[in-house]
Amino acid sequence: RPGEYACILGRDDFSWSSSRSDSNLVLAPVLATSASSGSTNAGSNASALIVPTLQATRRAVNLIATVMAMVYDYEYAKVERSMISASPFEGRILLPPGLLGPRTDQQALVMELERQVETCRRALEQAQAEYTGRGDEKAAERQTSQDELRRDVRMAARNLAEAEQQLSLQGGEMAGQTHRKASLRLLNLCRENAGVYIKVGQHLANLDYLIPQQYIDTLSSLFDDAPETPYDDVRQVIYEDLGAYPETLFDNFDPKPIASASLAQVHVAYEKGTGRKLAIKVQHRGLRETSRGDILALQTMVRMLEYLFPDEFCYGWIMDEIAPQLPKELDFHNEARNSERAAEHIREAGINC
């Protein structure tokens, strides 16, 4: 808003800042100093190395445990479905015929809808494989454009959603319950590990044309439920970036953030001498140091799932698209430059905001 401006702080060797008097958007002119100084002792250096390592290990263990539990959920559901729907003539019967009782018309309809869901799911997997260039030779020879392949993916996802909805209306809740249970596990993982995991969860919540609706409904809560960094850590981040604590650099720095997201949070403060209102965006402490390890852990786990379940899990390309973008989102220098560029375009367009 006019008269207000932002200072973007990250965990880097220097802070980027500039002032634009000819724009409605002004970035705060704050002196930047190096976070490293001669007063840093060996004990603090050791702590700075050990603590993030232990935290990264804990997050990796949480990731492994969650994925194993989700795999168990889906494998158990698969066996349970086969126990109900297998025919004695298919050689897949797991229980004596009649043990589960005679099949009713409703059960027959549910089983038919389950078969339709499975057919749609395979069609979606094939469309995703072709979109990522991993389809069969026949698909590769079609030389279909990326836009057409993307439309095929969306159409296949829509067909799968409609088939799952029909199954749900007929009481076939088995698949839906499994998705819901697994999505809750994933939500808990994102909240507990925070940082990059919340960002990935938010990205997944936007893929309503690719993943089951239960995941969309569950993970959407991450948009409004991001953790807050304690004020002591906020002070330390600012000190490491600018060489002084916020109460020295600003007037009336509000310790309570007005907003918090997956990677950073925003505090209100006022510029010394002028009283102009500032929005101070501070990256969550430790995120810069641990983000690369978290991204690597997620990529490794996705690759392992693709290797173990090549016909059932084909979502690795989503992580391939997310991974290169996360470091850019953590680079607040890049964000500040984009803010200036946006301000320039807004001013040239004559928009009063």
Side-chain angles (χ1 to χ4, degrees), residues 4-8 258 266-269 277-281:
E4 299 185 8
Y5 56 107
C7 172
I8 301 178
I258 59 173
V266 177
H267 295 258
V268 172
K277 195 174 184 180
L278 310 176
I280 314 295
K281 183 174 182 180

Side-chain angles (χ1 to χ4, degrees), residues 292-317:
R292 290 183 180 178
D294 288 342
I295 294 172
L296 178 60
L298 287 166
Q299 287 179 308
T300 301
M301 183 57 66
V302 166
R303 291 289 171 259
M304 186 178 299
L305 290 173
E306 285 187 316
Y307 176 78
L308 294 175
F309 306 99
D311 297 327
E312 298 168 306
F313 185 86
C314 55
Y315 295 100
W317 63 272

Side-chain angles (χ1 to χ4, degrees), residues 329-343:
E329 295 198 39
L330 290 169
D331 183 1
F332 282 2
H333 299 263
N334 182 61
E335 182 172 342
R337 287 190 294 269
N338 288 337
S339 297
E340 277 214 317
R341 193 174 297 115

Side-chain angles (χ1 to χ4, degrees), residues 1-21:
R1 291 180 291 179
E4 299 185 8
Y5 56 107
C7 172
I8 301 178
L9 303 176
R11 295 294 308 281
D12 219 323
D13 291 336
F14 58 91
S15 174
W16 185 97
S17 62
S18 73
S19 177
R20 299 183 64 97
S21 59

Side-chain angles (χ1 to χ4, degrees), residues 32-241:
T33 60
S34 173
S36 59
S37 64
S39 62
T40 304
N41 55 43
S44 62
N45 286 337
S47 175
L49 177 63
I50 294 174
V51 172
T53 301
L54 293 176
Q55 292 174 341
T57 302
R58 175 184 59 81
R59 289 194 298 274
V61 171
N62 289 342
L63 173 62
I64 294 171
T66 300
V67 170
M68 290 179 64
M70 292 173 67
V71 169
Y72 173 82
D73 290 339
Y74 281 105
E75 290 300 303
Y76 181 84
K78 187 193 303 181
V79 171
E80 194 174 15
R81 285 196 300 270
S82 66
M83 290 168 61
I84 295 174
S85 62
S87 165
F89 302 104
E90 294 174 350
R92 294 165 48 214
I93 191 70
L94 300 179
L95 293 178
L99 184 61
L100 297 176
R103 295 178 181 174
T104 65
D105 292 341
Q106 176 69 11
Q107 288 175 327
L109 176 60
V110 167
M111 285 188 291
E112 175 59 29
L113 290 173
E114 283 184 341
R115 281 191 284 268
Q116 291 181 15
V117 167
E118 188 60 30
T119 299
C120 292
R121 184 175 291 112
R122 291 197 190 99
L124 175 59
E125 291 172 355
Q126 178 63 28
Q128 290 174 332
E130 293 181 12
Y131 176 70
T132 56
R134 294 180 298 176
D136 53 29
E137 276 188 23
K138 184 178 179 181
E141 291 173 357
R142 283 166 34 196
Q143 297 180 346
T144 310
S145 70
Q146 284 294 102
D147 288 340
E148 291 176 333
L149 291 174
R150 190 180 295 110
R151 282 195 295 270
D152 290 345
V153 170
R154 291 179 177 174
M155 179 62 70
R158 189 177 300 113
N159 292 339
L160 175 58
E162 291 175 356
E164 288 181 336
Q165 183 179 18
Q166 290 298 319
L167 178 61
S168 177
L169 292 175
Q170 295 299 328
E173 289 288 341
M174 186 179 298
Q177 289 176 358
T178 305
H179 290 325
R180 191 170 297 108
K181 185 177 182 180
S183 67
L184 287 172
R185 294 187 188 277
L186 187 57
L187 175 65
N188 291 334
L189 172 70
C190 294
R191 285 177 172 169
E192 186 171 351
N193 283 5
V196 166
Y197 287 83
I198 290 182
K199 195 67 180 178
V200 172
Q202 290 175 341
H203 187 83
L204 293 176
N206 284 319
L207 302 178
D208 54 344
Y209 56 92
L210 286 178
I211 63 179
Q213 186 62 38
Q214 289 82 356
Y215 282 88
I216 306 301
D217 296 339
T218 301
L219 296 177
S220 293
S221 64
L222 292 173
F223 290 116
D224 303 315
D225 191 22
E228 295 182 2
T229 294
Y231 182 57
D232 287 343
D233 288 341
V234 171
R235 294 179 72 247
Q236 193 61 30
V237 170
I238 294 176
Y239 179 81
E240 291 173 0
D241 258 13

